[in-house]
Structures are given as C-alpha cells and as structure tokens.
Amino acid sequence: MNSIKTTPITWIRNNQDILVKLIQDLVRIPSISGKEEEIQKFVYKKLTELDLSPEFIQPDIETLQKSDDYFETTSYTKFGYKNRPNVVGILKGTGKGRSLCLSGHIDVVSPEPVEQWNRDPWGGEEDGDFIYGRGAGDMKAGVASIILAVQALKETQTELNGDVLIETTIEEEDGGIGGSLYLRLTQPKADAAIIPEPGIPGSISINIASAGVMYFRVIVTGIPAHAATAHFGVNAIVKMVPLIEALKTLNIERQKKISYKYAEADPSMKGKATTLNIGVINSGDWPSTVPALCILECRIGFPPGETREMVINQIEKTILDAGNKDMWLKEHPPKVEWFGWKARPHEQNPEHPFVKLLDKNIKQIAGIEPVYGGGSAGWDGRFFVHHGTPVVAFGPSSENNHSIDERVSISSTLKTTEILISTIMDWCGVKLNK
Ligand SMILES: [Zn+2]
C-alpha cells in the first residue's frame, strides 16, 4: 500500500470499536420505510460532529411527479413525505479533483414475524464476528462504513482534491422515489458513486446492474348469484384460473429464454434472471355467493435487455390471448392495470475507469478477485446511471437480509471501510502538502 494511504487505513484498523458501536447504534433505531425521521436525526448529528455541513432534504411530491421514473410508493400512500427527510453532507475538497458520492439507504424492511428471531431485531447484539439485527446487513453496516471512511480521513487530516458527497436516503426498500431519485433530481451530480449495499455472502462482489420491476393487476368480472343457483352466475375466481395458468406458462418460457450473466453470478440464481410472481389474489366474501369480482396482483422483474414497454405489451397480450379462449372472457375482457413499481433496469459498464479502480483496490486490500453481479431486483443504483453518474454497489458481507436473524460480518465491514478509504483517495485525489 502506498504510504499516503497507510495513515487513514491504520486509523480505522485501530478504531474498529467505533465502527462496531456505530453499526449497533444504527440498528438500535428502528427505521422501517416510512418511519425514517429518528434515525435521520441521528445521522445528521453524526455528520455535524464530523463538520460535514449536513442538511435535511425532504422530498417534494410535485418535483417527483414530473419525472418519468416516478411512481407512488406504498410508504408514500401510507405516510406521505412529511417528516421523512434524506440527509446529505459534504467533505469539501480543494476543488481540483473528481467528486464521489457515497450513498446508503437508511430504511429497513419489517422484522416480522419477530417471534421467529433468536435475537432481538433491534438489539444490535455482537457475537463473534457478527452484529445481529434488522438492517445490520441491509444496509446499516454499509452506512457506518461510509461515515467511518470519511471520519478516518478527517481524523488523520487527509485533505482531498475532489468533494465527497455523503447521503443517507429514505424508502429504498419501497422503490427509492422520495430517496435516491429525489436527490438525483435536486442535488449536485457526482462524477461517480458507491452504494455499500450487502454483497453476495462469502465473497466480495461489485454489483453493476439492477432489474426492471413493475406491478400489475388483472381484474375479472363475473355475475353474482346464490350458491344454490350457481348456474345463474359467472364465477370470477374460476374465470381467473386460466389467466393465472397463462401467466405461469409465460414465466416458464421467459425464464428459459432470458438469461443475464450478472443476475446469474450467484449459482442459486441460474435460469432465474426474470421472475413473474403471482403475489395477491382477492375475491369473494361468502362461501354461499358466486363471486363476481376477482383481482390478481403480480410483480414482474426483468434484467437489462427489455424495456418497460416490451414487458407491458407481452403481459397484456398474454392476458388477451388467454381470455379469447373463453367465451365469457372474450365478451368481458379482463382488465390489466399497471400500478406501483415501474422501475427501468440498468447496467453499469464494468470497463468504466471508476469500476476498474475499485476492482484494483479490492484485489490490493482484500487479496481476492471480486465477483460481478446484479440485475435480479430493483435498486437505487438505476437513478445514478440514468442521470449520468457511474455507480456500483459494493459493501460488507451479510446473511439473512430481509429474513430472520439478519447479521453482518464485522471483519468484512472493516475491509469495506478500508477499500472505501483507498478508493476515495484515488478517485478524488489527495492534496499534497508542500
Ligand atoms: Zn438494501
């Protein structure tokens, strides 16, 4: 390692306890999407202590609605955007270097069913190399590594040429609209970005792609009747069955046809680069009544290669064709509505100099070859790439994200922080004292 980097990296190695404490503090403040205010106040205070001029940025719905990437998130429907600030801060450089944005989402998914956990989901318990809790891996350890990387530079008086922009965002788990999208629309554009999201367990990964994700519902109407005279009615649940079958077949065909190497980098994802999930079905209210309305809700995820329009056309044609095979449905066509998630997929070119730089630092500091992955779920990174900033996800190794007994590796978070420090210094440039 070159000597200029030794000082801040040694500082973080000697101060692992500060890193552990910060992950624990973050895990102990519940921050399920929609309820991010308390933890954002904590982050704001932390950035104030580090003299990073933090600001609260509350999303403005009118600005968002003008974007083609806008959709109404579930947490917006439930809570609105009041008292749900993003936090941004800046480590100012001399102005002569490239800027870097370090971005992390602060929201987490619900820990339910809590009774299945063996640890307190909000306890931040430390055991061996792990810290347990909801969000420990996804992605409070990543947020801690951002803050500590900057703190290490500050504590060692390492001055940079380019600016480091720090941000903690809301509602990533719910689509990132009021979080990362809002900041891309309103904040200065960085020359590159890293989001320390958790990587593939047991390896170090650079995530360079995200999937397109859309929600749709299929509505079938029938005729209500008393069950004793069911032949006078048309059963909407029964009429939905061939449509579900058609969607299942479409899913199998798509999975056979569509492959995407980055989504399938994890061996358990082979052949599953795209997924159409039958998620919700609502119909009927009484065993003695023939149901006259059936509503099905689905999610389709698709890797880079298809556009939203292509997918929409394919789904609508599948429903139409399946409906045409049934007399009732032919005359009363099922309706398809698109709602909620409508994310475009994205891919970051792995040959970009910024990605190459991170790759080199991973090899140098961790001594291993990173695995390139991504593209099976929606992710905030798309907003950066669609707004012209190269971005990668690279973060600590964690297990059971979104599941029971989520935990993050402390040693891996420390390594992540070292690699962040090194990459910041290379990308932004270090001011050399005469
Ligand atoms: Zn995440």
Side-chain angles (χ1 to χ4, degrees):
M1 199 190 313
N2 76 33
S3 62
I4 203 169
K5 287 184 180 171
T6 314
T7 320
I9 289 182
T10 307
W11 185 90
I12 189 65
R13 283 182 188 160
N14 292 336
N15 287 283
Q16 188 180 309
D17 52 326
I18 302 182
L19 180 64
V20 169
K21 168 91 172 31
L22 182 55
I23 302 170
Q24 290 177 316
D25 285 345
L26 291 167
V27 170
R28 287 170 186 159
I29 305 174
S31 56
I32 296 171
S33 313
K35 305 259 184 189
E36 299 99 341
E37 188 181 21
E38 188 187 347
I39 199 161
Q40 291 292 56
K41 283 184 175 163
F42 175 86
V43 172
Y44 182 94
K45 193 165 156 269
K46 199 89 213 148
L47 300 193
T48 307
E49 285 163 14
L50 292 173
D51 199 19
L52 300 173
S53 325
E55 277 179 71
F56 288 121
I57 309 283
Q58 194 162 289
D60 163 53
I61 188 73
E62 276 158 33
T63 307
L64 283 170
Q65 280 167 340
K66 286 181 201 134
S67 165
D68 180 44
D69 288 318
Y70 173 78
F71 59 83
E72 183 168 318
T73 63
T74 314
S75 58
Y76 175 76
T77 311
K78 237 166 129 184
F79 304 105
Y81 283 135
K82 205 163 173 270
N83 301 324
R84 299 182 61 199
N86 297 285
V87 175
V88 299
I90 183 165
L91 175 65
K92 266 277 185 213
T94 60
K96 293 190 191 104
R98 295 175 291 197
S99 62
L100 180 62
C101 177
L102 302 175
S103 176
H105 68 84
I106 207 69
D107 63 316
V108 299
V109 298
S110 160
E112 292 298 337
V114 172
E115 60 279 7
Q116 288 190 20
W117 284 64
N118 297 303
R119 316 272 176 161
D120 175 359
W122 311 117
E125 207 178 308
E126 180 183 355
D127 188 350
D129 185 41
F130 294 97
I131 295 171
Y132 288 82
R134 171 55 78 238
D138 187 11
M139 61 166 287
K140 290 179 172 178
V143 168
S145 71
I146 290 175
I147 295 173
L148 265 293
V150 172
Q151 184 167 352
L153 295 168
K154 276 256 167 193
E155 300 273 357
T156 56
Q157 280 97 44
T158 309
E159 287 187 77
L160 301 171
N161 290 328
D163 296 338
V164 181
L165 309 163
I166 300 119
E167 58 182 44
T168 53
T169 63
I170 63 164
E171 74 167 9
E172 189 275 346
E173 298 292 2
D174 201 17
I177 299 300
S180 188
L181 173 61
Y182 189 68
L183 296 185
R184 302 293 71 75
L185 295 171
T186 58
Q187 296 298 300
K189 189 168 134 184
D191 295 318
I194 301 182
I195 308 181
E197 286 271 16
I200 301 171
S203 64
I204 291 192
S205 53
I206 298 181
N207 188 315
I208 54 164
S210 71
V213 173
M214 291 191 292
Y215 286 176
F216 64 93
R217 62 171 71 92
V218 182
I219 304 168
V220 165
T221 51
I223 298 174
H226 189 293
T229 54
H231 56 288
F232 294 148
V234 173
N235 190 314
I237 296 178
V238 173
K239 292 295 170 195
M240 186 63 90
V241 172
L243 305 183
I244 294 177
E245 285 300 332
L247 292 173
K248 270 173 63 190
T249 306
L250 176 68
N251 184 41
I252 294 166
E253 283 168 3
R254 284 176 53 84
Q255 289 187 333
K256 268 194 214 144
K257 209 165 62 192
I258 297 171
S259 68
Y260 185 63
K261 73 170 176 177
Y262 298 119
E264 294 168 79
D266 177 346
S268 68
M269 292 298 291
K270 270 267 161 287
K272 301 284 184 279
T274 178
T275 309
L276 196 170
N277 183 54
I278 310 283
V280 179
I281 187 159
N282 273 311
S283 183
D285 55 5
W286 184 241
S288 286
T289 300
V290 173
L293 179 67
C294 184
I295 303 175
L296 180 75
E297 292 186 345
C298 306
R299 172 216 194 252
I300 183 153
F302 52 101
E306 281 178 300
T307 63
R308 290 183 290 202
E309 293 67 32
M310 285 159 78
V311 173
I312 288 171
N313 288 339
Q314 197 177 40
I315 298 284
E316 292 187 350
K317 185 171 184 308
T318 300
I319 296 295
L320 186 73
D321 290 351
N324 279 340
K325 291 181 188 145
D326 177 281
M327 285 262 281
W328 171 263
L329 290 176
K330 201 172 175 178
E331 281 167 31
H332 305 84
K335 225 161 81 189
V336 180
E337 285 179 0
W338 297 86
F339 71 102
W341 273 83
K342 57 158 210 176
R344 291 185 269 168
H346 94 274
E347 183 182 295
Q348 168 61 48
N349 179 0
E351 298 303 319
H352 189 283
F354 178 69
V355 185
K356 291 280 185 207
L357 175 65
L358 177 65
D359 186 288
K360 182 201 81 179
N361 281 329
I362 290 171
K363 281 182 203 143
Q364 231 164 51
I365 292 175
I368 58 170
E369 199 68 57
V371 176
Y372 283 77
S376 52
W379 173 52
D380 273 357
R382 69 188 188 277
F383 299 125
F384 282 95
V385 168
H386 294 149
H387 286 86
T389 297
V391 67
V392 294
F394 154 72
S397 172
S398 67
E399 291 164 39
N400 308 332
N401 301 327
H402 293 215
S403 183
I404 305 304
D405 295 335
E406 177 176 349
R407 64 181 195 174
V408 70
S409 154
I410 296 168
S411 55
S412 162
T413 311
L414 181 66
K415 268 283 166 278
T416 300
T417 313
E418 292 173 25
I419 294 164
L420 286 183
I421 292 170
S422 181
T423 306
I424 294 169
M425 293 173 77
D426 285 341
W427 183 255
C428 299
V430 177
K431 181 185 163 199
L432 297 169
N433 295 317
K434 288 163 217 116

